[in-house]
Amino acid sequence: MRKGVVATGVEVLSRGYAPRVDDVCWLDAAERRTWLALLGTTAALDAVLDRQLQRDAGMPLAYYQLLAMLSEAPGRSLRMTELAEITQSSPSRISHAVKRLEARQWVLRRPCADDRRSTFAQLTDAGYAALAAAAPAHVRAVREHLFDALTAEQVAQLREILTAIAARIPD
C-alpha cells in the first residue's frame, strides 16, 4: 500500500490497490460518515473560533488557548514542556508562540530554579487583561457554534464520548 492512503480505504480501492483484508478493519458506511463529520466539524469550529478571535481580539485561537492555560495554572506559570503537552503542540511551536506573546508583553519566560534545562512561561498582567477582554466574545462564539446546537443531555453525551476517545489516545 502506498503512503498517504486515507483511513477509509476509498482511495485505495479507487486506484486499484488491493488492501489486505486481514490487516485492516475498514470503516463501514456509518463509521465513515461519522469520521468525516468529526473532521469537518472540528475544522469548521476551529476556523470560526479563530476568525472570531482574530477579528475581536487580534489574536489567533492558539494564542488564546495558551493564555487560558497559563491563567488557570498556579502562579499563572507553566514549564514550556507542560504547556506543549497541555495544548498538544510541539516544544518548538510553543517556543515560537511564546516568543510572539512575549513581544506583546503578554507572557514572559523565566528560568526554572530547580532545573537549568527548563524554562517557565508566565502570564503577565497585560496578558491576563488581554485574555479577560477576549473571553466574553469568545465564550459567546463557543456557545453559539457548539453548545446552542445541543441539548443538556447531548452535552453530557458529547463529554462522555470525548472522554472515552481521549482515554484511548496514547500520550
Side-chain angles (χ1 to χ4, degrees), residues 11-77:
E11 182 179 335
V12 173
L13 297 173
S14 69
R15 295 193 185 258
Y17 295 98
R20 290 181 33 196
V21 177
D22 58 334
D23 287 331
V24 178
C25 181
W26 298 106
L27 303 180
D28 64 27
E31 290 168 333
R32 182 176 183 278
R33 284 191 308 274
T34 303
W35 172 239
L36 294 176
L38 175 65
L39 290 178
T41 301
T42 55
L45 186 59
D46 280 352
V48 75
L49 295 176
D50 189 71
R51 283 193 305 273
Q52 175 275 314
L53 280 164
Q54 291 277 11
R55 181 188 64 238
D56 296 344
M59 75 174 80
L61 179 59
Y63 290 6
Y64 181 91
Q65 185 181 10
L66 291 175
L67 297 177
M69 295 303 99
L70 289 171
S71 77
E72 295 175 1
R76 297 185 192 162
S77 180

Side-chain angles (χ1 to χ4, degrees), residues 6 9 35 46-47 52-53 78 81 85 91 100 136 150 154 163 166:
V6 294
W35 172 239
D46 280 352
Q52 175 275 314
L53 280 164
L78 288 169
T81 53
E85 288 172 14
R100 296 222 172 180
L150 304 173
Q154 289 171 319
T163 300

Side-chain angles (χ1 to χ4, degrees), residues 57 59 67 71 76 105-106 123-136:
M59 75 174 80
L67 297 177
S71 77
R76 297 185 192 162
Q105 299 181 341
W106 291 351
L123 185 65
T124 64
D125 289 343
Y128 188 81
L131 177 66

